[in-house]
Amino acid sequence: MTKQNTNRRRQGMPSKEQILEFIQTSDTPAGKREIAKAFGLKGQEKITLKKRLKDMAEEGLIDGKRTAYHRMGGVPKVTVLKVVAIEDGEPIAEPENWAPDSKEKPPRLLVKESKKLSAVKRGDRILARNEETARGWVAHPMKKLPARTEGLMGVVEFDGAGKPWLAPVDKRVRDSAPIGDLGEAQEGELVLAERMGKSARAKVKVVEVVGDPLAPKAFSLIAIAKHGIPHVFPSETIAEAERAVDLPLSSDHREDLRDVPIVAIDPADARDHDDAIWAEPDGKGGYRAIIAIADVSYYVRPGGELDREARKRGNSVYFPDRVVPMLPEVLSADVCSLKEDVDRAAMACHIRIDKDGKVSDWRFTRAIVRLAKNIAYEDAQAAIDAGDAPEYLQNLWGAWKLLFKARQARDPLDLELPERQVRLNDEGVIEEIAIRERLDAHRVVEDFMIAANVAAAKALEAKAAPVVYRVHEQPSREKLLAFREYLATQGKKFALGQVITPGLFNRMLKDISEPAEKALIMEAVLRSQTQAFYGPQNAGHFGLSLGSYAHFTSPIRRYADLLVHRALVDAYKLEQPRPKVDLPEGSGLSDRDKTALHQITDAISQTERRAMEAERDTIDRYVAAWLSGRVGETFDTRITGVQGFGFFATIEKLGGDGLVPVSTLGREYFSYDEGARKLVGERSGTEYAVGDRLKLKLAEANALTGALKFEVPDSDGAGIEPRGNRAPEKKRTHQNKRPKKAQGAPRQSHPAGKRGRPGNIRHQGRKKK
């Protein structure tokens, strides 16, 4: 051992960086024994060192030999990679822990996707087997790894001893984590962190400071960071968008529809307008109609920077305070957006609606449009209700009544699911949270869009062209069995031998008159459904009761729709003359896209789910912030779920969901009947079951996690409004005892109400000077 290394020795478990430095500066090959001796490790510490060295070998930092470790100077045969780009549709990755002896840049590996592991996207971490070929380094993915910052976003707090902790903002993460490397973060700041080891109890390292967690408009930033949503456009993407603005727009190679009074009906605060509609009677009891959709494929060319970024994002994400757009705003909110009195490029879907409401004919053109009006849903509805609507609105309603007639004949799934709406003032402060009103104007636009989406799918099928289908499969047998078992607890029957159709569920719901019970069964029907997704193979759309369905009407905010537009360009020869602007040639599907539709549709299905989770989490945080000033008040609630540890309830007409822990129900023990989904008091017989309506006191409202906690005003069960007839009680499955108190880290239930701010973080101690 050299004197140089001897002077570097220190007591305690060395970090990965210290181990690497020791190996690099050692004059002789350093094995586990030498490393342990250099750092004075004994007993259990040697076992920990062995695990750390194994981790480092898996990560490609060292070669993995037990007798003499060496720092890796090339790409290891198996290592952890991070996908850093998508180039020409192919993922490009770099070693996650690249620290070669020289200052050269990390190598870039082409990721070869397989059936076993496809839909690799930018930002993914993968364990891969790597090989050097004539083309360069190639990575063969073995498995995807969780994101390093998954569930590790939180607020810095200090305990009474002055030690820093990370209080998570993800309500699924219950315990705080000790911070081993605070960086420049300060007490009370929102930060991103990553674990410093593989153990769930390992300390964490702060990697990014987000800022004040309770500042206006911070809740969407939390969701963006937590879910890894790309929200900053690369300069190359912005530059290409600005070049795309210069594309010529004329009627020389487009159908001129500027004299047609086409209108866009959207939310009052909409910033991007994908679609506009027009209809007029055809003299045969039906209507001719045009659904004009923004011609995004004209501006966003396959293989370009705009296309790469749009594919990575997959869709726009909508929060109460901001939109994270799929395309730069110069396109999404301006050049592509269909606006009143401005010439815009559009893809026009011409359809005929017969007297029975069936779409009997369709054709697609590239057009130039000039909208007669951008109108809000509420204003359009008010004009119709007042009886003084202009002719173009009256025609739209007339055509819709026929479409609605056909919709009723199809009998698609009809679930009246309330949508919460958060209204903010200019400073980002909540003004109101309410259930969004559902108007006929919404249904008018929805049914026109469905008609266009069906037409797009069938038009592509007629040409045997590639189709990105919107697929919603019928419920699986396992889900139907669970649905039947649940209905049995409510004294209802459900036969599995019958043909399962959306109408079957609709008829069941129509037979229920009591609102609370209907809402309960409606939620059970929703749970029985599969999740819709995108794919190149048609399996129909169960919920809409349609055999062929694609998304065509929102290319500004959904990549799937853009792919459908490109397929229509190819199938119906709608290509425009080659532009003189510096953009990729062609606006149809690229050959690479045609052969990789499975991977692409898997990826955009994932980004859609990511957006839904982020939007839902953000709404939950706003609701909790809205309620944080009403802690201690009593609310009318309905039980939505029961587990052995307690039950969940939602505030009626608001939708804030919260937990009532079984430990707060008094000194009596409660048994959990899993089949009937209810808690039963051992002594009193008091029951808490899904669907029960009762008054609950709001005990906590945590704006950072979006979590609520309720308490029963009294523990004898008074105030419960029964759902009506219940099935005979089933055998109790087990007795639920009070949960054990967690050891060590502070629990993340405290940021709930002591300083008069939404979320009201209560720190457990102050940092020592």
Side-chain angles (χ1 to χ4, degrees):
M1 193 68 61
T2 66
K3 184 176 182 180
Q4 180 185 13
N5 279 324
T6 302
N7 292 337
R8 190 178 286 110
R9 296 178 190 177
R10 53 183 299 179
Q11 296 296 318
M13 179 59 57
S15 67
K16 294 179 182 179
E17 291 76 13
Q18 291 170 331
I19 293 173
L20 288 171
E21 183 183 7
F22 175 82
I23 293 172
Q24 183 179 1
T25 57
S26 176
D27 292 338
T28 59
K32 184 180 71 174
R33 179 182 300 177
E34 287 76 18
I35 296 171
K37 184 178 179 180
F39 290 92
L41 306 181
K42 298 179 180 180
Q44 183 64 37
E45 290 180 326
K46 289 185 177 181
I47 298 175
T48 303
L49 173 64
K50 181 180 179 180
K51 293 180 179 178
R52 178 160 295 179
L53 292 170
K54 183 180 179 181
D55 291 345
M56 293 174 68
E58 289 179 354
E59 294 175 8
L61 296 176
I62 56 179
D63 63 6
K65 295 179 181 178
R66 297 184 180 182
T67 55
Y69 295 99
H70 296 277
R71 191 169 189 158
M72 297 301 293
V75 180
K77 290 183 179 180
V78 176
T79 190
V80 177
L81 303 175
K82 184 174 182 179
V83 180
V84 296
I86 305 293
E87 297 180 359
D88 296 328
E90 292 184 317
I92 304 297
E94 295 177 354
E96 185 174 66
N97 295 288
W98 176 252
D101 294 337
S102 67
K103 295 182 179 180
E104 63 183 304
K105 293 182 179 180
R108 293 166 68 85
L109 295 87
L110 174 66
V111 180
K112 299 298 291 184
E113 297 176 301
S114 63
K115 292 183 179 179
K116 182 179 179 181
L117 187 59
S118 60
V120 177
K121 61 184 184 299
R122 185 172 179 179
D124 280 350
R125 298 175 69 237
I126 57 175
L127 181 66
R129 177 176 55 81
N130 311 309
E131 64 174 344
E132 193 169 13
T133 69
R135 292 182 57 192
W137 283 96
V138 175
H140 303 276
M142 299 165 65
K143 65 177 180 179
K144 282 188 180 181
L145 301 175
R148 293 185 67 90
T149 57
E150 184 175 16
L152 293 177
M153 188 175 198
V155 176
V156 176
E157 297 188 345
F158 288 84
D159 62 17
K163 295 181 179 179
W165 293 82
L166 183 74
V169 297
D170 187 345
K171 57 187 174 185
R172 296 171 297 181
V173 181
R174 300 185 65 193
D175 293 326
S176 297
I179 299 176
D181 186 346
L182 188 62
E184 298 181 357
Q186 301 294 316
E187 182 180 17
E189 287 187 321
L190 182 68
V191 299
L192 275 172
E194 61 184 31
R195 295 201 182 278
M196 301 173 71
K198 288 194 172 183
S199 168
R201 296 185 178 181
K203 290 184 178 182
V204 301
K205 173 183 179 181
V206 174
V207 296
E208 181 181 343
V209 177
V210 179
D212 183 356
L214 298 175
K217 304 184 179 182
F219 298 142
S220 57
L221 289 177
I222 293 175
I224 289 168
K226 174 189 168 186
H227 294 277
I229 296 171
H231 65 290
V232 177
F233 285 102
S235 57
E236 299 85 357
T237 305
I238 296 294
E240 185 172 303
E242 291 173 349
R243 292 197 299 274
V245 170
D246 295 329
L247 281 169
L249 181 61
S250 73
S251 59
D252 291 346
H253 302 280
R254 291 178 176 273
E255 182 181 16
D256 194 339
L257 298 176
R258 284 176 289 188
D259 292 333
V260 179
I262 304 175
V263 297
I265 306 176
D266 289 297
D269 58 351
R271 298 179 64 187
D272 49 49
H273 305 274
D274 288 278
D275 54 84
I277 49 181
W278 167 88
E280 71 174 8
D282 65 359
K284 301 177 181 178
Y287 281 82
R288 294 191 303 121
I290 298 173
I291 300 96
I293 307 299
D295 189 2
V296 175
S297 64
Y298 181 55
Y299 298 96
V300 181
R301 305 300 181 101
E305 296 295 335
L306 281 167
D307 185 49
R308 292 192 188 100
E309 187 68 16
R311 181 180 300 187
K312 179 181 73 174
R313 296 180 177 222
N315 44 256
S316 298
V317 189
Y318 293 84
F319 299 110
D321 63 306
R322 76 185 71 226
V323 176
V324 180
M326 185 179 76
L327 303 173
E329 289 196 9
V330 67
L331 296 180
S332 62
D334 188 8
V335 175
C336 289
S337 191
L338 304 183
K339 296 183 177 181
E340 183 177 339
D341 294 332
V342 180
D343 288 357
R344 287 288 185 256
M347 185 77 76
C349 172
H350 297 256
I351 61 174
R352 285 190 177 274
I353 306 169
D354 68 19
K355 58 183 178 61
D356 295 318
K358 294 182 180 180
V359 178
S360 58
D361 190 21
W362 53 78
R363 66 183 178 91
F364 290 85
T365 66
R366 265 182 155 159
I368 182 169
V369 299
R370 182 180 295 167
L371 265 57
K373 193 76 173 177
N374 285 98
I375 185 169
Y377 285 114
E378 294 79 6
D379 294 339
Q381 190 66 57
I384 290 292
D385 293 343
D388 58 359
E391 185 180 14
Y392 57 78
L393 282 184
Q394 294 179 33
N395 286 339
L396 288 175
W397 256 252
W400 167 67
K401 289 177 181 178
L402 297 181
L403 290 173
F404 186 69
K405 180 180 177 181
R407 181 188 183 101
Q408 289 179 307
R410 282 199 332 268
D411 203 10
L413 194 60
D414 187 15
L415 299 179
E416 300 170 4
L417 301 174
E419 180 184 356
R420 291 175 292 176
Q421 182 179 21
V422 178
R423 298 190 181 98
L424 308 175
N425 63 19
D426 293 339
E427 287 71 40
V429 178
I430 306 169
E431 288 187 335
E432 181 185 15
I433 296 179
I435 301 299
R436 192 184 298 273
E437 186 180 7
R438 177 83 167 156
L439 304 171
D440 279 348
H442 293 96
R443 299 181 179 92
V444 169
V445 174
E446 180 181 295
D447 282 335
F448 269 97
M449 297 306 112
I450 290 173
N453 288 336
V454 171
K458 291 187 174 181
L460 290 172
E461 289 173 345
K463 294 286 187 177
V467 186
V468 173
Y469 290 100
R470 181 62 170 176
V471 179
H472 183 227
E473 298 171 329
Q474 75 172 39
S476 65
R477 180 172 177 80
E478 291 76 15
K479 288 199 171 189
L480 291 174
L481 282 170
F483 180 66
R484 183 180 68 175
E485 291 173 2
Y486 172 68
L487 288 183
T489 67
Q490 310 301 310
K492 299 181 183 297
K493 295 181 179 180
F494 182 78
L496 291 180
Q498 58 191 319
V499 177
I500 305 299
T501 65
L504 180 66
F505 294 109
N506 292 339
R507 290 189 292 274
M508 180 186 302
L509 292 170
K510 286 179 181 178
D511 291 339
I512 302 172
S513 57
E514 206 279 316
E517 184 181 7
K518 187 171 185 177
L520 182 66
I521 302 301
M522 195 177 297
E523 289 172 1
V525 170
L526 182 63
R527 287 194 301 272
S528 74
Q529 302 301 302
T530 61
Q531 190 168 35
F533 61 93
Y534 295 108
Q537 302 298 326
N538 189 20
H541 198 294
F542 177 81
L544 291 175
S545 195
L546 291 168
S548 296
Y549 194 65
H551 273 168
F552 160 78
T553 55
S554 296
I556 290 177
R557 61 184 181 91
R558 291 190 304 227
Y559 194 78
D561 303 54
L562 177 56
L563 291 173
V564 170
H565 279 233
R566 289 174 177 169
L568 288 167
V569 168
D570 287 339
Y572 287 88
K573 296 180 172 51
L574 302 178
E575 188 61 80
Q576 298 286 288
R578 181 174 180 174
K580 295 180 180 180
V581 179
D582 181 18
L583 291 173
E585 185 178 355
S587 57
L589 280 177
S590 67
D591 292 338
R592 189 183 298 274
D593 287 347
K594 293 174 185 177
T595 58
L597 277 185
H598 273 290
Q599 292 93 322
I600 296 171
T601 52
D602 284 350
I604 60 180
S605 295
Q606 291 176 13
T607 59
E608 178 191 43
R609 288 190 285 272
R610 177 181 68 185
M612 291 171 60
E613 291 175 5
E615 291 168 357
R616 183 174 61 245
D617 287 354
T618 303
I619 294 292
D620 287 344
R621 288 185 173 91
Y622 272 110
V623 170
W626 177 246
L627 291 170
S628 63
R630 304 179 66 181
V631 171
E633 290 187 25
T634 300
F635 294 87
D636 291 325
T637 71
R638 180 169 52 83
I639 296 177
T640 56
V642 179
Q643 296 291 333
F645 54 81
F647 62 85
F648 295 91
T650 184
I651 298 175
E652 295 190 328
K653 299 181 180 180
L654 181 62
D657 298 303
L659 172 67
V660 180
V662 71
S663 59
T664 66
L665 297 179
R667 302 180 64 181
E668 180 179 16
Y669 283 114
F670 279 77
S671 294
Y672 174 44
D673 186 333
E674 187 173 5
R677 297 169 66 198
K678 64 182 178 181
L679 291 169
V680 183
E682 292 286 337
R683 176 172 42 81
S684 65
T686 299
E687 296 183 357
Y688 296 101
V690 171
D692 285 344
R693 299 170 70 186
L694 67 163
K695 291 185 180 296
L696 293 175
K697 183 174 70 175
L698 181 63
E700 292 183 8
N702 187 338
L704 290 180
T705 65
L708 305 177
K709 186 180 288 186
F710 296 111
E711 292 178 354
V712 177
D714 49 60
S715 60
D716 60 4
I720 297 177
E721 183 179 326
R723 291 167 287 122
N725 296 328
R726 287 180 176 169
E729 182 179 339
K730 289 192 173 185
K731 184 178 179 180
R732 296 163 184 168
T733 55
H734 69 276
Q735 186 173 11
N736 182 75
K737 295 184 178 180
R738 292 182 179 88
K740 294 181 180 179
K741 185 178 180 180
Q743 300 295 320
R747 304 289 285 177
Q748 175 56 15
S749 60
H750 54 276
K754 283 205 170 181
R755 295 192 181 178
R757 300 164 66 196
N760 310 7
I761 299 176
R762 185 177 76 219
H763 300 292
Q764 297 198 354
R766 288 292 176 187
K767 185 176 181 180
K768 292 183 177 180
K769 299 292 184 182

